[in-house]
Amino acid sequence: MGLFNLNKKKADFIKIKVEKLVDWNEPNGDGCVVSDKITKEGFKVGYMYREKPEEGRPDSGWRFLAGNEDEEYMNDSNNHHIFAVNTICNYDKDIIPYIKAKIGSVYIRVDGNSFGIDDGSKPIFLDRQNR
């Protein structure tokens, strides 16, 4: 899928002030794959999961989505980019309590400020960032 293609247009990301909110000291790195629905369209994280990090890449294993991406959207590698975990915490501070979760963890947003373990029984609560 080319998730680590770093030669993409960066001009239309939502401009945010990035402060140090979390310390990430895991050995494989702090990169994460993030949907443009979050970084360009202003949705909060609605669905997040942590898979085994990609070897040879600065990959935390985290994948952050708004939750309303369809298969066609996800199959286009231009619709997601690599960011540092700390940067995405600045886009959506609600994810901070969960970022140290183990590989295999899957969460969905259940209301405006919190997440629950995704067991497939609840819909994803879609919300927009306050900017």
Side-chain angles (χ1 to χ4, degrees):
M1 225 163 61
L3 295 179
F4 287 96
N5 182 357
L6 300 178
N7 299 320
K8 296 183 182 176
K9 184 179 174 187
K10 308 274 187 202
D12 44 357
F13 292 111
I14 296 169
K15 306 284 188 276
I16 62 168
K17 180 180 179 187
V18 176
E19 302 172 13
K20 185 168 179 147
L21 297 176
V22 297
D23 286 317
W24 192 267
N25 56 6
E26 296 195 20
N28 208 54
D30 69 345
C32 59
V33 179
V34 185
S35 168
D36 287 354
K37 298 256 183 188
I38 296 163
T39 56
K40 293 184 177 184
E41 295 182 33
F43 283 92
K44 288 184 174 184
V45 173
Y47 179 70
M48 60 184 181
Y49 62 97
R50 190 171 188 197
E51 59 188 15
K52 183 178 179 189
E54 192 172 318
E55 291 297 320
R57 305 280 186 179
D59 183 16
S60 68
W62 275 113
R63 311 302 181 238
F64 297 103
L65 308 168
N68 59 354
E69 298 87 349
D70 60 21
E71 186 175 348
E72 181 181 356
Y73 186 92
M74 290 304 297
N75 285 337
D76 183 347
S77 66
N78 291 311
N79 291 330
H80 24 82
H81 293 83
I82 308 302
F83 285 85
V85 169
N86 183 72
T87 300
I88 300 311
C89 289
N90 278 267
Y91 274 94
D92 188 346
K93 292 176 177 64
D94 296 338
I95 68 172
I96 293 172
Y98 306 93
I99 64 162
K100 297 292 184 172
K102 66 182 179 172
I103 292 169
S105 297
V106 181
Y107 298 98
I108 60 169
R109 182 176 295 277
V110 294
D111 61 35
N113 300 97
S114 58
F115 290 83
I117 294 172
D118 184 18
D119 63 6
S121 68
K122 299 177 195 155
I124 295 170
F125 181 86
L126 295 175
D127 203 4
R128 293 250 181 201
Q129 302 167 24
N130 296 324
R131 299 262 168 237

